[in-house]
Amino acid sequence: MAFITAYWSLDGIIVLMTFILTVYFYMTYKFNYWKKRGVLHALPISIFGNFTDCLLLKRSPGYLLKDIYDQGKGMPYVGFYILDKPFLMIRDRNLIKNVLIKDFNYFNDRYCTPDITDSLAYTNLFFIKNPTWKLLRTKLTPNFTSRKLKQTFELMLKCSDNLDTYLESLSLEDKDVELEMKDLSSKFFMNIIATTAFGLNVDSLNNPDNEFRKYGKQIFEIGILHGYDFLMVLFIPSLVHFMSAKVYNKKVTDFLRNLFWQTITERIKSGEKRNDFIDIFIELKTSYGDQNSETGFKFDGDHLLAQAASFFAASFETSSTTVSFTLYELAKHPEIQDRLRKEILDALDQTDGKITYDMVLSLSYLDMVVSEVLRMYPALPFLDRVTTETYKIPDSDLVLEKNTPISISLLGVHYDPEYFPNPDEFDPERFTEENKRNRSSYVYLPFGDGPHTCIGIRMGLLQVKLGIITILRKYEVIPSEKTLIPMVIEPTSSMTAPLGGTIYLNVHKINNNGN
């Protein structure tokens, strides 16, 4: 005889249904959280809240958040749920200012959190929490001045020359050759980050199987397992340890650790100065390595390595994606491509054909083009914060509890027709000086804003522009048979990435007159 009924099979069904109902009610009992507070909210469609399509890897989270932003049209904020966790999407630009700047002390941490065992992620500048974040940011910021960047630019130029030599070797005269632009640009930026952050001269263009590139690709590779790793870290940190989610896997960590400390040791022994980040890390280690902060952080060991690893990961991935999308849009809009090339060639005429730091920064139309690409394809399409104290939203009755996750959809504001008319059109004219002055503030945020603004914004833009100049001054890009028109975004990536992580374009060399 069974425990409940006369039949084991019926007992099994009852136990299973009881378990399912228990899980369902446990996961959904918070789904009236925003309703109780009078907040418009996206209706949860399953026990996964509003996050089902992302957990099934059917939709990139940045585009799901854009949908939620659009649902809240006319409202200053809108609630939603990831699993049973209530999140608040901030829509109003004045509230965005409050969260990012004015009331920063209430929102000074990101919600996303790696596993503590993932030391290179957990202690790097992007993820680390206050008060250690403030200490780290204060010490690193002076290393991104214009003077420092001018020195670093000389190292970048050698990588630009290598890219130019590689393209020349492909014999692209008088014929169209299909190239995968994400792969090409990632090799170029891998060379830049190798020389600027690790003091190495690698040639990923001619030797794509080198270890530096091999392990770098693993950090942001497109795939199901890696897709879940980033979903957990960015949106469900409570499950990070349980799911063994890692930003840097053990092999990548071991490789970077061995490489970094070998380079540091050799540089200290030789006394060589290259004006790269290794010089900066040595200075930090020498000046502050023996000083423990109140939280136990010091500029040594994996704590120091983590900063190099964050530059390694962020620099080549975000920059290569931006260059790839830029070339994609220019291929679709040849009139814009021709105008940009003319600006580049005219500037080169003034410098006897040499690319210089000041020349790159002087190209106003290039800046407009890159700004528009970053509007349409922000590398990280959302910002996240978490309330560190109870916070009352100004001019409302809504009080946010401590540890409430806050989201800002960059795709939402970047594609909001109130701020950017005809947002699906690629139009660099949005970023003329006049149009920028006339546009509302806090609606264009590809690098964030406030104290958490991307520390490497100027370096990132500099190397992106250098890559575009190097290619466009001699070559034209046009769509190929494999070019996705319209663009399709990779659903398994939390970053903005093209489907499959690839963008194919035809490339051919132009004559000296740019025709």
Side-chain angles (χ1 to χ4, degrees):
M1 184 172 180
F3 289 113
I4 303 172
T5 69
Y7 304 98
W8 284 107
S9 58
L10 185 56
D11 274 15
I13 292 173
I14 292 173
V15 171
L16 178 61
M17 291 302 297
T18 301
F19 175 76
I20 291 174
L21 288 172
T22 300
V23 170
Y24 175 81
F25 285 116
Y26 176 78
M27 293 294 293
T28 61
Y29 83 99
K30 285 188 178 179
F31 283 175
N32 63 352
Y33 182 89
W34 291 122
K35 184 178 180 180
K36 285 182 178 179
R37 288 158 175 77
V39 175
L40 175 72
H41 59 281
L43 294 176
I45 58 176
S46 74
I47 62 172
F48 304 122
N50 302 106
F51 215 53
T52 302
D53 284 349
C54 292
L55 289 174
L56 296 176
L57 300 181
K58 291 182 177 180
R59 191 160 177 75
S60 176
Y63 287 81
L64 174 72
L65 294 177
K66 179 184 181 299
D67 289 344
I68 294 172
Y69 176 95
D70 292 341
Q71 290 176 34
K73 184 177 180 180
M75 303 300 293
Y77 41 75
V78 57
F80 65 102
Y81 300 89
I82 294 182
L83 301 185
D84 65 335
K85 183 74 173 177
F87 281 62
L88 190 70
M89 167 82 68
I90 299 296
R91 297 184 77 261
D92 179 80
R93 63 186 184 87
N94 291 317
L95 288 182
I96 292 175
K97 177 183 178 181
N98 288 350
V99 169
L100 298 182
I101 302 175
K102 185 178 178 181
D103 295 327
F104 176 76
N105 288 339
Y106 291 90
F107 305 94
N108 52 31
D109 281 338
R110 290 187 169 94
Y111 178 66
C112 55
T113 308
D115 186 33
I116 193 171
T117 62
D118 187 3
S119 59
L120 300 194
Y122 191 79
T123 57
N124 77 38
L125 183 63
F126 183 85
F127 290 109
I128 203 164
K129 311 301 182 186
N130 260 308
T132 309
W133 170 84
K134 185 176 181 179
L135 165 72
L136 186 55
R137 178 87 182 200
T138 301
K139 300 301 183 185
L140 290 176
T141 296
N143 299 299
F144 290 89
T145 62
S146 296
R147 183 179 66 84
K148 294 277 190 179
L149 285 180
K150 283 184 179 181
Q151 295 171 341
T152 305
F153 185 69
E154 296 305 314
L155 298 174
M156 295 183 186
L157 280 177
K158 295 178 181 179
C159 299
S160 171
D161 291 340
N162 290 340
L163 174 59
D164 185 58
T165 301
Y166 173 76
L167 291 173
E168 290 283 357
S169 73
L170 299 180
S171 302
L172 301 174
E173 298 88 348
D174 302 320
K175 63 179 179 179
D176 293 343
V177 175
E178 188 176 64
L179 297 178
E180 203 285 281
M181 306 314 296
K182 182 66 166 60
D183 181 65
L184 177 69
S185 57
S186 68
K187 290 174 182 175
F188 170 61
F189 290 114
M190 190 68 73
N191 290 351
I192 286 181
I193 199 65
T195 189
T196 58
F198 287 84
L200 300 174
N201 292 315
V202 302
D203 187 359
S204 297
L205 290 161
N206 291 299
N207 180 22
D209 296 325
N210 70 79
E211 284 196 318
F212 200 85
R213 173 167 163 75
K214 171 187 172 184
Y215 289 107
K217 287 175 63 178
Q218 291 183 24
I219 300 173
F220 290 102
E221 65 182 346
I222 301 296
I224 293 175
L225 293 180
H226 220 53
Y228 277 120
D229 283 343
F230 274 87
L231 281 180
M232 297 300 109
V233 170
L234 294 173
F235 296 100
I236 320 176
S238 59
L239 296 182
V240 162
H241 186 71
F242 176 76
M243 299 291 291
S244 298
K246 295 281 193 292
V247 176
Y248 301 90
N249 65 42
K250 186 179 186 303
K251 290 183 178 180
V252 172
T253 299
D254 290 344
F255 169 74
L256 291 178
R257 186 181 289 127
N258 292 335
L259 177 66
F260 181 75
W261 288 112
Q262 179 182 346
T263 305
I264 290 280
T265 301
E266 291 176 355
R267 186 72 64 83
I268 292 175
K269 189 179 297 184
S270 69
E272 179 189 6
K273 296 286 186 181
R274 292 183 74 247
N275 295 315
D276 58 12
F277 283 98
I278 290 295
D279 289 348
I280 294 170
F281 294 135
I282 291 174
E283 183 178 341
L284 288 171
K285 182 180 186 302
T286 303
S287 301
Y288 308 107
D290 295 331
Q291 297 179 21
N292 274 310
S293 71
E294 294 179 1
T295 59
F297 183 93
K298 67 178 183 176
F299 289 91
D300 203 351
D302 276 0
H303 290 173
L304 189 61
L305 168 60
Q307 314 322 312
S310 68
F311 298 148
F312 176 67
S315 182
F316 86 85
E317 177 63 22
T318 58
S319 296
S320 61
T321 299
T322 300
V323 167
S324 302
F325 279 125
T326 300
L327 296 173
Y328 168 80
E329 290 295 338
L330 292 176
K332 293 198 304 173
H333 300 87
E335 71 286 355
I336 296 177
Q337 181 179 167
D338 290 343
R339 178 179 169 184
L340 176 56
R341 183 178 295 106
K342 183 178 186 306
E343 180 186 58
I344 292 170
L345 295 177
D346 287 348
L348 286 170
D349 284 342
Q350 300 297 316
T351 60
D352 296 324
K354 183 180 180 181
I355 302 174
T356 67
Y357 178 86
D358 292 330
M359 170 259 183
V360 172
L361 297 186
S362 73
L363 301 178
S364 59
Y365 195 62
L366 174 58
D367 189 73
M368 291 161 59
V369 167
V370 172
S371 295
E372 175 68 345
V373 169
L374 290 170
R375 179 192 70 83
M376 296 183 71
Y377 308 103
L380 187 63
F382 49 84
L383 302 176
D384 74 308
R385 298 289 187 268
V386 63
T387 52
T388 53
E389 300 290 342
T390 301
Y391 177 77
K392 182 180 183 300
I393 291 185
D395 303 319
S396 80
D397 296 326
L398 181 60
V399 176
L400 300 180
E401 296 179 306
K402 183 179 178 179
N403 296 325
T404 300
I406 305 296
S407 292
I408 299 171
S409 171
L410 300 195
L411 290 172
V413 293
H414 287 188
Y415 279 80
D416 193 326
E418 179 181 349
Y419 310 125
F420 299 97
N422 303 313
D424 293 315
E425 293 183 9
F426 180 70
D427 181 12
E429 294 299 318
R430 301 180 200 275
F431 292 93
T432 63
E433 290 302 317
E434 180 182 2
N435 284 336
K436 287 192 292 186
R437 284 194 303 268
N438 293 334
R439 187 162 44 245
S440 301
S441 54
Y442 308 105
V443 297
Y444 179 69
L445 303 162
F447 296 97
D449 208 333
H452 266 300
T453 301
C454 175
I455 195 173
I457 176 173
R458 288 193 290 182
M459 181 176 177
L461 288 173
L462 183 65
Q463 63 185 22
V464 161
K465 292 175 181 179
L466 177 61
I468 295 169
I469 291 169
T470 304
I471 295 171
L472 287 188
R473 65 177 172 171
K474 293 184 180 179
Y475 301 93
E476 180 181 25
V477 291
I478 59 177
S480 71
E481 291 184 359
K482 291 184 180 179
T483 304
L484 290 173
I485 301 177
M487 174 55 62
V488 180
I489 298 300
E490 173 58 48
T492 66
S493 176
S494 294
M495 307 284 284
T496 303
L499 186 66
T502 59
I503 293 179
Y504 287 93
L505 296 174
N506 281 337
V507 183
H508 73 261
K509 191 172 184 180
I510 57 178
N511 64 34
N512 291 332
N513 295 321
N515 296 317

